[in-house]
Amino acid sequence: MGPQVSVDKPFLWADGRVNLKASLNKAAYVHGENVTVTLDIKNDSRKVVRKIRVSILYRHSSDECAGSCMNSGLSVGKDDSD
């Protein structure tokens, strides 16, 4: 199993919380390889969750980089369904 993160957020002006757990199937990927993200969302509120935005921060490392590369943001997906 790869990296995992869990976030628990309350809603303003409403009872209940939303918990999101995200995990990757492994810790490192090579260029061009698909990244599998598993999400587990638990909505203990009466609010409807309409959007989910996921992003992965990655660090590129190679011999050409020689440690001078910086972290970059990579947008992986967004669900805008109602």
Side-chain angles (χ1 to χ4, degrees), residues 18-76:
V18 171
N19 179 271
L20 179 131
K21 294 178 186 176
S23 62
L24 300 177
N25 61 332
K26 58 185 189 174
Y29 296 86
V30 296
H31 179 73
E33 186 176 6
N34 288 334
V35 176
T36 301
V37 179
T38 302
L39 297 176
D40 179 24
I41 302 165
K42 184 177 180 184
N43 186 356
D44 286 330
S45 74
R46 293 183 180 199
K47 292 276 205 174
V48 175
V49 176
R50 296 188 187 276
K51 293 183 182 181
I52 299 169
R53 205 173 284 163
V54 177
S55 63
I56 296 174
L57 295 179
Y58 69 95
R59 183 171 62 206
H60 175 81
S61 63
S62 69
D63 292 337
E64 297 96 31
C65 220
S68 63
C69 293
M70 298 176 60
N71 286 344
S72 302
L74 172 65
S75 179
V76 209

